[in-house]
Amino acid sequence: MLTHLECTRCGEHYPADRPQSVCPKDAGVLYARYDLASIKRTFASGRLALRAPTMWRYDAILPEANPVSLGEGFTPMLPSREFPNVYIKDEGLNPTGSFKARGLSACVTMARHFGLKKLAIPSAGNAAGALAAYAATAGLEAHIFMPKDVPTANRVECDYYGANVTLVDGLISDCAKKVAELKESDSWKKDGWFDVSTTKEPYRVEGKKTMGYEVAEQLGWRMPQGIIYPTGGGVGLLGMWKAFEEMEALGWIGSEKLGPERPKMISVQSAGCAPIVKAWEEGKQSSEMWSNAATLASGLRVPKPYADYLILDILNKSKGTAVSATDEEILEATRHWAKVEGIFAAPEGAACLVAYRKLRAKGFFKPEDTVVLFNTGSGLKYLDVLDTASVERTLLSAKPAAPAKPATRQIAGIIGPY
Ligand SMILES: [Zn+2]
């Protein structure tokens, strides 16, 4: 039912029967488009109940290819013990311990389908681990470029999965430059290389969009009033918004005319790297490269998301907003969620709690609003970051005369600026 790819900038159509990257005309992100009218006639949402509890239960609205799957998706939607009407979508239970499993499962599925051999990825950490695992499953080569100070778990898992790892002295943007250099080499075309960077290939969004289908299905095909989403590259935000449009066309959720059926989409970023928050506050349509990006939430160290124009458009259309959280706030929230909810979250995920509290305090959300907070990964992948940070905090609190630290202080220097 996949009919073509469509540029999100100029609307040009491209064939979906071969590997595609971005729009050759304007470098816009390409979206997979389906014959939704035919799917509507042949597949009703009621049939989903009998399906396996993975993201491939939605294969009616995914590309037709033999899935490279490790059981990703259909993660728990946990009611908060602290806030009625708040749910925590726990993506830490995915294979490789993060939401990146969804996008890379779909992406590697299509790479194998197209006969690609060597997959290159610049990553802030968790996407690297996910690519390494799915490439191993599919028998493809994974070539990973990630900052040298990623959490230890990301380095070790890539090594065990047999990936080729290059540690880069810099940020994900510097890793992307390394992949761009590689693209200029003679072997790139000859040896079947492919760049699977966030939003530079069309199928990671397709995997991530299943989060939107799950939110709807797990809430009984009702939309929440808000979704708070930690935004690095922003693929999940793009994917969920795309899912809502598709579900509306499929008649699975109501249309705009029938009532408020779209959640407010909220981006949360770290105060140490908040290009989307800055652009949102300045009313801009794209972001500027954030200099000196530094935060313990390594997944949020994306100085300029490639799809910034789409992220900002979604915040605007959904009447959402963008919120930042300091590393101190994120650390406190990580500990709070573990103690109160029993969820040992990734720092990026715990940032959602910081954002929710701020938005409740401002009256943006009311207590009766249903809001879904995305915990994008497991805290177990950040043991070195969280452990050292807590040690540092203990040391600080032992010095009663110490003045309050500024919000931009780097914690333990684990993840510093370049
Ligand atoms: Zn275009």
Side-chain angles (χ1 to χ4, degrees):
M1 294 294 178
L2 174 63
T3 53
H4 61 278
L5 302 172
E6 184 184 21
C7 176
T8 52
R9 274 192 208 273
C10 68
E12 184 74 31
H13 290 192
Y14 296 97
D17 61 353
R18 66 203 72 168
Q20 299 275 11
S21 181
V22 294
C23 176
K25 285 187 187 166
D26 55 16
V29 175
L30 300 183
Y31 272 2
R33 295 299 185 197
Y34 301 81
D35 183 353
L36 294 172
S38 290
I39 298 171
K40 187 178 182 180
R41 281 196 301 275
T42 55
F43 191 90
S45 58
R47 282 172 58 186
L48 288 167
L50 301 167
R51 299 260 167 140
T54 78
M55 74 172 202
W56 293 98
R57 68 199 277 105
Y58 307 105
D59 63 1
I61 330 96
L62 289 168
E64 288 148 299
N66 184 20
V68 179
S69 176
L70 291 164
E72 53 291 321
F74 219 66
T75 53
M77 177 80 92
L78 302 168
S80 165
R81 284 159 176 76
E82 184 176 20
F83 299 104
N85 305 314
V86 166
Y87 292 85
I88 302 164
K89 181 78 171 141
D90 195 358
E91 290 289 296
L93 277 82
N94 274 305
T96 70
S98 91
F99 67 151
K100 298 286 183 182
R102 296 175 188 264
L104 272 311
S105 172
C107 164
V108 173
T109 292
M110 295 310 285
R112 184 174 71 178
H113 180 72
F114 291 131
L116 300 168
K117 300 283 182 248
K118 297 166 186 269
L119 308 180
I121 195 170
S123 168
N126 279 324
L131 173 65
Y134 287 96
T137 312
L140 305 181
E141 279 182 31
H143 293 262
I144 283 154
F145 298 81
M146 60 185 173
K148 68 175 168 52
D149 60 353
V150 290
T152 309
N154 296 135
R155 264 196 299 109
V156 175
E157 65 183 335
C158 289
D159 178 33
Y160 269 71
Y161 288 127
N164 300 283
V165 178
T166 306
L167 295 173
V168 177
D169 191 5
L171 298 172
I172 188 171
S173 42
D174 302 295
C175 300
K177 278 179 210 149
K178 294 270 178 203
V179 175
E181 281 166 27
L182 198 62
K183 273 186 188 173
E184 302 300 316
S185 70
D186 291 340
S187 77
W188 184 266
K189 271 210 171 120
K190 200 175 66 196
D191 297 341
W193 284 82
F194 196 71
D195 176 4
V196 298
S197 298
T198 302
T199 56
K200 289 185 190 167
E201 68 78 51
Y203 299 104
R204 286 178 66 180
V205 174
E206 291 306 285
K208 285 276 186 77
K209 84 178 179 188
T210 58
M211 296 190 296
Y213 282 90
E214 285 175 28
V215 165
E217 186 179 356
Q218 291 175 326
L219 294 178
W221 302 108
R222 257 187 299 257
M223 286 284 102
Q225 275 72 51
I227 290 179
I228 306 183
Y229 189 79
T231 307
V235 178
L237 210 68
L238 271 49
M240 284 193 276
W241 194 252
K242 185 172 186 287
F244 300 148
E245 286 175 351
E246 290 172 358
M247 279 189 277
E248 199 172 296
L250 292 167
W252 294 8
I253 59 170
S255 69
E256 295 281 4
K257 285 176 206 143
L258 293 172
E261 280 282 323
R262 296 289 172 90
K264 291 176 172 140
M265 304 298 278
I266 320 295
S267 270
V268 58
Q269 296 195 305
S270 167
C273 182
I276 294 296
V277 178
K278 182 168 183 284
W280 174 254
E281 286 172 353
E282 292 171 353
K284 299 211 169 115
Q285 288 174 345
S286 63
S287 65
E288 288 162 36
M289 179 74 79
W290 188 274
S291 51
N292 297 322
T295 171
L296 62 83
S298 49
L300 299 178
R301 279 195 308 169
V302 181
K304 182 173 173 25
Y306 190 75
D308 54 0
Y309 68 104
L310 293 172
I311 297 168
L312 290 159
D313 186 48
I314 291 166
L315 301 188
N316 195 30
K317 279 186 182 151
S318 71
K319 302 180 177 65
T321 188
V323 181
S324 66
T326 65
D327 277 2
E328 279 77 4
E329 289 171 329
I330 290 172
L331 266 184
E332 185 279 329
T334 308
R335 193 174 285 278
H336 186 85
W337 255 5
K339 277 186 175 170
V340 173
E341 307 280 4
I343 297 170
F344 187 30
E348 297 87 349
C352 291
L353 172 62
V354 179
Y356 178 72
R357 285 173 179 159
K358 288 182 179 180
L359 293 171
R360 275 289 299 276
K362 285 200 328 197
F364 185 93
F365 284 129
K366 298 182 183 66
E368 62 269 27
D369 288 338
T370 299
V371 182
V372 177
L373 277 48
F374 266 86
N375 173 35
T376 46
S378 168
L380 293 173
K381 295 195 82 174
Y382 297 78
L383 288 182
D384 48 343
V385 180
L386 295 172
D387 189 40
T388 318
S390 72
V391 168
E392 174 84 349
R393 231 159 49 129
T394 311
L395 289 175
L396 282 172
S397 61
K399 283 191 279 179
K405 294 281 167 182
T408 52
R409 180 181 64 88
Q410 285 162 58
I411 290 168
I414 297 166
I415 290 168
Y418 293 91

